[in-house]
Amino acid sequence: MIELKNELLAIKVAEMGAELQSVKDNEGREYMWQAGDLWPRHSPILFPIVCSVNNDTYRVDGQEYHLPRHGFARDTEFTVVKQAENQVTLALHESEETLKVYPYRFNLAISYRLEGNKIHVIWHVENTDTKEIHFQIGGHPAFNMPSGKLDGMIKLDNEEPMDSLKSYADGSNDMVEVPLEADSGIMEINNNLFRNDSVKIHKCQTHRAMLMDTNGEPAVTVDYKTPVCAFWSPYDKQAPFVCIEPWYGLGDPRGFDGEFKDKPLMNHLLPGASFMSRYTITIG
């Protein structure tokens, strides 16, 4: 476990999955969900897919491959390649095992950098193959509800009416828009919100989500530039956390059986090219 700290925050990052597992303020308050029976993760990295491919199967040049939901990065050991007092970078590249399920050569680097009360989460994907590669990437951080139960609100930076994608209880979705359940950018966080799995806001309609405490003050703010941000808590479990998930990607629409490169919100890199983006977690 890698530990970073400054005068305001202390964080822990696991080499397995390059997963952020703990964020504490200088009073020792924990902001990340600490895993357990309700959900066994903290903040998995989603790569090279976000959500699922239909029947865990996808096609590259007509050949079938198989990937589990959210890909393999979250269950793969990363290597620490750089570490300082306030920053760490972990990396993963293709292996004999990954090539069986994802036929591309790549370098994936995940960095965490502390800056005051902020944590910058930086993604870097490099194409080390001789052909174009295709991928999706996303975050899935789970934050403890300030009230200690699934009852609160998230304030978005867009107060206009917004749309979300139609989702189903099995986690699948259609590329069909439905009105977002929000009033002037305020989403009430309760069990009913997640009756159809996650709430997915796409088309860059929002770039900031603030999880509010009982006094209406932000406990955690997530800033992102991703085309999708999803929100999730396991339905009917009354889990005391909510995930705020910046995504460059979406799962297969129901019935999609096309080529991997043609999936919705797919990212493409020519040989030698690279992709970089980040999201930022602000505490308090």
Side-chain angles (χ1 to χ4, degrees):
M1 191 74 67
I2 301 146
E3 298 187 28
L4 304 177
K5 63 181 179 179
N6 62 15
E7 68 280 5
L8 296 178
L9 297 178
I11 71 172
K12 294 181 180 179
V13 178
E15 293 178 57
M16 175 58 70
E19 184 181 34
L20 178 64
Q21 294 196 350
S22 175
V23 175
K24 290 183 179 180
D25 63 19
N26 54 14
E27 296 180 353
R29 179 182 177 184
E30 179 63 72
Y31 288 82
M32 300 296 300
W33 167 244
Q34 288 303 288
D37 293 340
L38 296 176
W39 191 55
R41 301 180 187 270
H42 309 261
S43 179
I45 302 297
L46 316 183
F47 179 89
I49 57 170
V50 169
C51 294
S52 299
V53 289
N54 288 330
N55 299 315
D56 293 339
T57 301
Y58 69 98
R59 285 149 289 279
V60 175
D61 298 328
Q63 183 172 343
E64 288 191 348
Y65 296 88
H66 304 282
L67 276 174
R69 184 173 178 83
H70 292 319
F72 54 73
R74 63 182 184 169
D75 295 315
T76 305
E77 191 89 6
F78 281 65
T79 300
V80 176
V81 295
K82 184 177 181 180
Q83 184 174 354
E85 183 179 3
N86 293 329
Q87 181 169 341
V88 65
T89 299
L90 304 96
L92 174 70
H93 60 81
E94 83 286 339
S95 66
E96 182 177 337
E97 292 304 310
T98 68
L99 288 169
K100 294 176 182 177
V101 296
Y102 180 66
Y104 301 110
R105 299 183 183 277
F106 64 91
N107 280 330
L108 169 64
I110 309 295
S111 297
Y112 297 94
R113 179 167 62 87
L114 291 180
E115 181 189 12
N117 65 336
K118 300 180 184 295
I119 306 153
H120 301 287
V121 185
I122 304 158
W123 302 322
H124 184 198
V125 182
E126 180 185 8
N127 180 357
T128 58
D129 214 319
T130 57
K131 58 181 180 291
E132 186 177 39
I133 72 170
H134 316 285
F135 70 94
Q136 297 176 330
I137 191 167
H140 202 313
F143 300 105
N144 291 325
M145 296 296 296
S147 65
K149 57 183 179 179
L150 191 66
D151 180 19
M153 65 180 67
I154 286 178
K155 179 175 175 56
L156 303 171
D157 61 338
N158 183 355
E159 297 185 1
E160 298 298 318
M162 289 180 278
D163 295 317
S164 60
L165 290 174
K166 186 175 182 180
S167 296
Y168 299 89
D170 63 1
S172 63
N173 62 267
D174 283 334
M175 298 303 290
V176 174
E177 295 174 349
V178 296
L180 178 67
E181 296 180 34
D183 183 9
S184 298
I186 302 290
M187 286 198 309
E188 297 291 336
I189 303 301
N190 53 53
N191 184 59
N192 189 57
L193 183 66
F194 306 111
R195 62 192 180 276
N196 291 319
D197 197 63
S198 62
V199 177
K200 305 175 183 72
I201 305 174
H202 72 146
K203 293 186 177 178
C204 299
Q205 295 176 88
T206 175
H207 294 100
R208 172 176 288 178
M210 293 184 289
L211 179 60
M212 315 297 284
D213 64 20
T214 53
N215 297 317
E217 297 295 327
V220 176
T221 300
V222 182
D223 290 279
Y224 42 88
K225 298 180 181 179
T226 54
V228 178
C229 190
F231 303 86
W232 177 80
S233 192
Y235 180 64
D236 257 2
K237 293 185 178 181
Q238 293 297 325
F241 68 86
V242 64
C243 297
I244 302 175
E245 308 177 38
W247 292 352
Y248 281 94
L250 280 169
D252 282 356
R254 286 189 162 193
F256 178 83
D257 62 358
E259 283 278 312
F260 187 61
K261 64 181 178 63
D262 298 323
K263 278 171 51 68
L265 292 184
M266 182 59 73
N267 306 283
H268 316 279
L269 285 177
L270 293 172
S274 62
F275 162 99
M276 181 175 287
S277 188
R278 74 176 67 193
Y279 70 93
T280 300
I281 301 167
T282 303
I283 300 302

